[in-house]
Amino acid sequence: MYTDKLICNEYATIKQVMECINQNAKGVAFIVDDSEKIIGIVTDGDIRRTLLEGYGLKDKIKDHCNRQFIYASSINEAHELFSKFDWKVRIIPVLNDRREIVDYVEAGEPHVSLAQPQLNGNEYRYLMDAFWSTWISSTGKYVTMFEEKFADYCGVKYGMATSNGTTALHLALVALGIGAGDEVVVPDITFAATVNAVFHAGAVPVIVDIEEDSWCIDPDKIRNAITPRTKAIIPVHLYGQPCDMDEICDIARENGLYVIEDCAEAHGAEWNGKRVGSFGDISCFSFFGNKVVTTGEGGMCVTNNEMLAQKIQILRDHGMNRKRKYYHDVVGFNYRMTNMQAAIGVGQLEHIDEILTWRNALEDAYADKLAQIPKVILQKKDLNQRKKIAWLVSILVPAECRDKIIKIFHENGIDTRAFFIPLSEMDIYKKYASDCNVSKRISRCGINLPTTAEITETSVEKIVDIIKEQIESI
Ligand SMILES: *Cc1c(COP(=O)(O)O)cnc(C)c1O
């Protein structure tokens, strides 16, 4: 056990403990009795003071260790203790209920967060530039620049930056004239913002099942759900996986429906060699902090249709006439993005290729190590015509141990997520859903693993070890 190098028996001499501390290079030793229970902690400073008081190197440590020490009963609790108090304490032992040392946590040891943005390009420089220019509201050069560059990245003509991904979806629906009495088809597994936007527009969602292999909306289920009131489909490229856009666009064309792509989790993913966002009548992105490209909060609608682009611009800006100030053509919203957010976005876009390559390599590293566990199913990477991106690394484990695995991650300071709860399993949405057996089954098995920038190979190994141990114990 790697805690061994910090542990000394209470009958050790001061000299032996000094040697232990010298070897472990942690500046501290945990002192245990013969039954391995911890009785105290000694730091190199404690030893220095003991020697200065006149004790000798041959004296027993037992009489000189600090018996009033801070400890935790889980790794997570230790992290919490560090974050709550500004102590001089550098290390906290984690004890089981028999007071045996099971682990320890050092100050500043990273908590593995789920998704930390990579802001190491020009983000800060552009943000400061926007700040010092005093154009900190929603006018300024970075908004236009971000819109142009992002639309270009997607292979689409027009981009309209918004305050977040949910407002982008809402604007898309309103710009397409979707409202009371209309039905919009959405997948059962998505972040709830997709379906909430349908309600915000006053329309009714029709929630359908997902595909077994891609976990994205099932085109056959869309066909079955169409009624004379259906106006649009919102395919969601779930966890970086593109939907079957050929089928979905065919269904839309045959039935006179609009397509609004929800690309919030799939910046840069491709269907048939074309980036997501380029298929829908309007496509919506989110730039929330955990997304592949972030502006803190933020979103964007992209479209090739000039009229829709203008409509969105007006609706986003209080419905105000673009030539005549304070004359309002429609009842609009204030859904704009600030110049400061857009500045961060421009910086992010400059290195999106590197970000995606890095994420992809991280996903491969997980896949490599997870390959030894037969019961783990990774999100499919090589489905026909699809080029997914790695948003969060998404896997399926046996349902019976999914929650236990997440609990153990939590106790170890590793932030992970269970898959989205199917909309059909939530009281406020379930009456809009048809049979969604696939999504129910998949959701119960799914875990999103961290893709945080700070993650180390050791953390990936630890994550895989935890999964392995739990699966093998069922
Ligand atoms: C994040 C997300 C959104 C909402 O984006 P916000 O910027 O948080 O409003 C919408 N749809 C999906 C699928 C998302 O993951």
Side-chain angles (χ1 to χ4, degrees), residues 90-228:
R90 278 179 296 177
I91 206 159
I92 297 179
V94 178
L95 311 181
N96 62 19
D97 47 15
R98 294 184 302 277
R99 289 179 74 81
E100 293 157 353
I101 300 162
V102 291
D103 213 330
Y104 62 86
V105 177
E106 291 178 76
E109 200 177 314
H111 224 143
V112 181
S113 56
L114 186 70
Q116 200 186 35
Q118 296 174 43
L119 302 170
N120 51 353
N122 284 318
E123 288 86 344
Y124 183 69
R125 206 158 66 83
Y126 297 157
L127 173 63
M128 283 302 109
D129 183 45
F131 178 85
W132 291 117
S133 77
T134 75
W135 291 96
I136 62 172
S137 211
S138 43
T139 317
K141 69 175 182 191
Y142 286 108
V143 177
T144 330
M145 210 189 289
F146 185 42
E147 290 176 334
E148 284 173 6
K149 284 181 193 293
F150 193 79
D152 195 49
Y153 178 78
C154 298
V156 175
K157 279 195 199 141
Y158 308 100
M160 284 68 62
T162 59
S163 48
N164 58 60
T166 313
T167 53
L169 286 164
H170 188 193
L171 281 180
L173 288 159
V174 177
L176 291 169
I178 293 165
D182 298 334
E183 289 177 357
V184 179
V185 185
V186 300
D188 193 31
I189 294 198
T190 180
F191 181 59
T194 316
V195 70
N196 288 346
V198 175
F199 285 110
H200 296 328
V204 177
V206 176
I207 298 163
V208 304
D209 209 353
I210 59 171
E211 292 178 315
E212 182 83 42
D213 56 353
S214 72
W215 311 339
C216 292
I217 193 164
D218 185 337
D220 291 336
K221 300 291 159 60
I222 300 176
R223 278 186 207 281
N224 295 340
I226 291 169
T227 73

Side-chain angles (χ1 to χ4, degrees), residues 163-167 169 190-194 236-238 262-265 285-288 290-291 297-299 391 420:
S163 48
N164 58 60
T166 313
T167 53
L169 286 164
T190 180
F191 181 59
T194 316
V236 178
H237 307 301
L238 191 80
D262 183 340
C263 310
E265 301 174 1
F285 288 84
S286 163
F287 306 116
F288 183 66
N290 66 8
K291 307 288 160 106
E297 292 275 1
W391 177 43
F420 296 126

Side-chain angles (χ1 to χ4, degrees), residues 194-429:
T194 316
V195 70
N196 288 346
V198 175
F199 285 110
H200 296 328
V204 177
V206 176
I207 298 163
V208 304
D209 209 353
I210 59 171
E211 292 178 315
E212 182 83 42
D213 56 353
S214 72
W215 311 339
C216 292
I217 193 164
D218 185 337
D220 291 336
K221 300 291 159 60
I222 300 176
R223 278 186 207 281
N224 295 340
I226 291 169
T227 73
R229 291 179 299 281
T230 312
K231 285 282 153 47
I233 309 164
I234 309 185
V236 178
H237 307 301
L238 191 80
Y239 302 142
Q241 183 81 273
C243 299
D244 183 338
M245 291 315 296
D246 283 359
E247 274 289 307
I248 292 168
C249 291
D250 281 351
I251 297 170
R253 207 173 311 111
E254 288 158 22
N255 295 279
L257 310 178
Y258 294 117
V259 174
I260 302 170
E261 284 177 76
D262 183 340
C263 310
E265 301 174 1
H267 313 64
E270 293 173 21
W271 167 263
N272 238 347
K274 274 178 69 190
R275 292 223 163 101
V276 299
S278 61
F279 300 92
D281 294 280
I282 303 174
S283 301
C284 301
F285 288 84
S286 163
F287 306 116
F288 183 66
N290 66 8
K291 307 288 160 106
V292 172
V293 170
T294 185
T295 60
E297 292 275 1
M300 198 176 300
C301 295
V302 299
T303 181
N304 279 318
N305 182 315
E306 189 182 357
M307 245 179 43
L308 287 174
Q310 282 173 2
K311 253 183 165 167
I312 291 169
Q313 281 165 350
I314 293 166
L315 283 166
R316 170 182 71 172
D317 193 14
H318 303 283
M320 204 174 342
N321 188 296
R322 303 202 86 203
K323 299 212 174 72
R324 193 169 165 207
K325 271 270 172 225
Y326 303 130
Y327 188 85
H328 296 256
D329 298 311
V330 285
V331 180
F333 311 92
N334 177 357
Y335 281 173
R336 295 169 311 224
M337 176 183 277
T338 69
N339 198 36
M340 294 187 292
Q341 292 167 306
I344 298 173
V346 172
Q348 284 267 281
L349 260 189
E350 284 178 354
H351 61 122
I352 184 169
D353 291 340
E354 282 158 73
I355 293 174
L356 288 172
T357 306
W358 180 88
R359 285 173 168 274
N360 197 27
L362 176 64
E363 187 173 56
D364 286 348
Y366 272 109
D368 241 30
K369 293 183 171 48
L370 286 165
Q372 49 168 317
I373 322 173
K375 284 182 182 161
V376 170
I377 298 171
L378 285 130
Q379 187 182 26
K380 298 259 184 315
K381 215 177 167 168
D382 45 8
L383 289 172
N384 256 351
Q385 296 167 295
R386 302 182 211 231
K387 186 163 161 230
K388 75 176 279 291
I389 55 130
W391 177 43
L392 302 167
V393 170
S394 306
I395 62 165
L396 306 183
V397 299
E400 61 263 46
C401 61
R402 198 272 307 266
D403 292 346
K404 178 85 184 294
I405 291 174
I406 289 178
K407 181 166 166 273
I408 292 170
F409 282 143
H410 182 69
E411 285 164 4
N412 280 277
I414 300 164
D415 198 11
T416 61
R417 292 280 182 281
F419 272 20
F420 296 126
I421 300 166
L423 299 173
S424 58
E425 289 187 350
M426 290 186 265
D427 284 343
I428 56 173
Y429 305 121

